[in-house]
Amino acid sequence: MTILSELHPLSHSLFSQHNVRVQIKRDDLIHPIISGNKWRKLKYNLSYVKQHKEFTGILSFGGSFSNHIHALAFACFLEKIPCVGIIRGEAQYADNFTLSWARHWGMKLHFVDRKTYRRRHENSYLIQLQKKFNGMYIVPEGGSNSLAIPGVSEVITELSQQTEFDTLLTPVGSGGTLAGLITGDCLSNDNQHKLLGVSVLKGGEYLVDEVQTLLPETASTHKNWHLLLDHHCGGYGKFTPNDIKRLLAFSQETGVDFEPVYSGKMVLALLDKLAQGYFSSGERIVLLHTGGMQGLGGMVERGLLTASDWPTPVRVDDT
Ligand SMILES: Cc1ncc(COP(=O)(O)O)c(C=O)c1O
């Protein structure tokens, strides 16, 4: 699948008021299922496994509403690669929105308790899993590994053909997307752009190290990336009724849908930073829409959001 995701201008009264130009890179439209940063991060992981026949498939990790698990299951289905998801939580989640699709596409689910799940970076545990599942290639949670970096860096290659800009905003969960963007920016530009990562987690300071660890040597010279730590709305997956109100109003005015766990927090960060006068007059900003819209299915299912307000994805049972 070759991708060149669309870039659209966004219009909003606050943008003219603060004299900024905002465009949005619609990675969410890359594919109806493997959307956003998912395809970018998985692309070279999938081709690596296809080239290395010694691997029997792909094994990865995620929570029971994980965008990564959902996208990986479908990507492996398309590429005919067997896959296993090590899922944090109880087997009762197997029928939820996200996991029912993952099972539908053939992913084998293996549920573990929180204590076991915390071992997901330990070598001894990974060796144990490799034995148990007969030599699968292990992709870390969120798909953020060294093979994710060249895939994400292509966002910058595309952008340099599409527009000129000063600042790029992206949500940050595990750090792979931001690390890929920094890498791409080092490869493509003499004048490095300002890259702003919005931590969707409370206490996201540790993500600076995570991003740095993922950066290849060629990208260690980038000095203009920053992590914004105060826009997590209370923590991962959390939001207040007012956050939702602001996000829906933004979607209504711009005509672009977001979800409140990742891309929505980037939007709220943009609005807050505009109000604080953070951006210069005339600044040209690009928002990276990283997708994740499947997550709305689980949030509506759990009663956290009202179905009528959101573009709710289709359930397996409804097909
Ligand atoms: C929709 C979406 N956007 C952004 C992110 C954050 O990306 P990263 O984990 O690479 O920081 C994620 C998590 O992978 C995600 O699912």
Side-chain angles (χ1 to χ4, degrees):
M1 187 157 74
T2 318
I3 348 162
L4 175 72
S5 72
E6 295 164 23
L7 183 74
H8 295 169
L10 271 193
S11 120
H12 191 282
S13 48
L14 281 176
F15 302 161
S16 17
Q17 201 179 310
H18 292 272
N19 193 31
V20 291
R21 188 186 85 182
V22 181
Q23 299 182 90
I24 184 155
K25 176 106 173 118
R26 299 295 305 267
D27 268 19
D28 57 314
L29 301 180
I30 285 175
H31 185 274
I33 295 161
I34 324 170
S35 80
N37 59 352
K38 296 296 157 273
W39 176 252
R40 305 274 188 189
K41 292 205 271 186
L42 288 175
K43 179 179 170 187
Y44 292 106
N45 277 291
L46 293 167
S47 50
Y48 183 80
V49 171
K50 283 174 73 177
Q51 281 158 20
H52 291 78
K53 303 286 180 220
E54 67 271 28
F55 294 114
T56 54
I58 298 185
L59 176 147
S60 195
F61 303 86
S64 37
F65 301 97
S66 163
N67 292 324
H68 165 64
I69 288 292
H70 185 261
L72 177 67
F74 188 73
C76 286
F77 166 72
L78 277 188
E79 301 286 347
K80 302 187 175 49
I81 300 173
C83 65
V84 169
I86 307 293
I87 311 295
R88 182 189 57 227
E90 313 289 330
Q92 80 207 40
Y93 292 125
D95 291 329
N96 78 14
F97 180 86
T98 305
L99 298 181
S100 53
W101 274 116
R103 285 191 298 116
H104 180 77
W105 295 317
M107 179 181 263
K108 300 272 172 292
L109 302 182
H110 180 72
F111 289 88
V112 296
D113 59 27
R114 281 172 186 274
K115 193 168 159 219
T116 311
Y117 193 81
R118 273 198 289 274
R119 298 186 60 209
R120 67 195 177 279
H121 303 298
E122 280 176 27
N123 246 344
S124 58
Y125 180 53
L126 299 181
I127 292 169
Q128 211 177 303
L129 286 174
Q130 239 162 0
K131 268 196 200 136
K132 186 176 169 82
F133 294 100
N134 299 323
M136 290 207 152
Y137 173 71
I138 299 183
V139 173
E141 182 182 56
S144 290
N145 60 7
S146 59
L147 289 176
I149 303 301
V152 179
S153 83
E154 289 168 6
V155 171
I156 301 287
T157 320
E158 290 175 21
L159 274 174
S160 51
Q161 293 159 16
Q162 290 171 311
T163 191
E164 289 186 0
F165 66 100
D166 303 301
T167 304
L168 174 70
L169 263 81
T170 185
V172 177
S174 60
T177 304
L178 181 56
L181 295 170
I182 296 168
T183 307
D185 206 40
C186 281
L187 291 174
S188 312
N189 298 289
D190 297 331
N191 281 331
Q192 292 170 352
H193 298 114
K194 181 160 62 177
L195 304 177
L196 297 177
V198 177
S199 171
V200 302
L201 300 121
K202 195 172 173 175
E205 291 82 355
Y206 75 96
L207 287 167
V208 173
D209 285 342
E210 299 285 313
V211 172
Q212 251 145 7
T213 309
L214 283 162
L215 289 180
E217 201 133 341
T218 46
S220 55
T221 51
H222 201 297
K223 297 284 175 263
N224 203 6
W225 65 270
H226 310 274
L227 205 55
L228 305 179
L229 296 166
D230 299 328
H231 306 276
H232 52 73
C233 305
Y236 180 73
K238 300 208 169 136
F239 39 82
T240 63
N242 192 43
D243 295 329
I244 294 299
K245 204 166 130 199
R246 291 172 73 206
L247 189 53
L248 288 173
F250 186 84
S251 286
Q252 197 165 26
E253 192 164 343
T254 57
V256 180
D257 291 315
F258 299 89
E259 48 69 54
V261 179
Y262 292 100
S263 55
K265 289 195 180 170
M266 168 183 68
V267 165
L268 296 178
L270 171 75
L271 296 177
D272 290 345
K273 289 294 182 210
L274 279 172
Q276 290 164 12
Y278 177 88
F279 299 105
S280 315
S281 176
E283 196 156 330
R284 297 161 304 175
I285 300 168
V286 171
L287 302 177
L288 178 63
H289 196 320
T290 51
M293 304 304 278
Q294 76 82 27
L296 293 168
M299 282 181 265
V300 166
E301 194 174 66
R302 285 174 284 162
L304 300 174
L305 299 175
T306 312
S308 55
D309 290 336
W310 303 88
T312 314
V314 177
R315 291 176 50 84
V316 171
D317 308 341
D318 300 334
T319 55

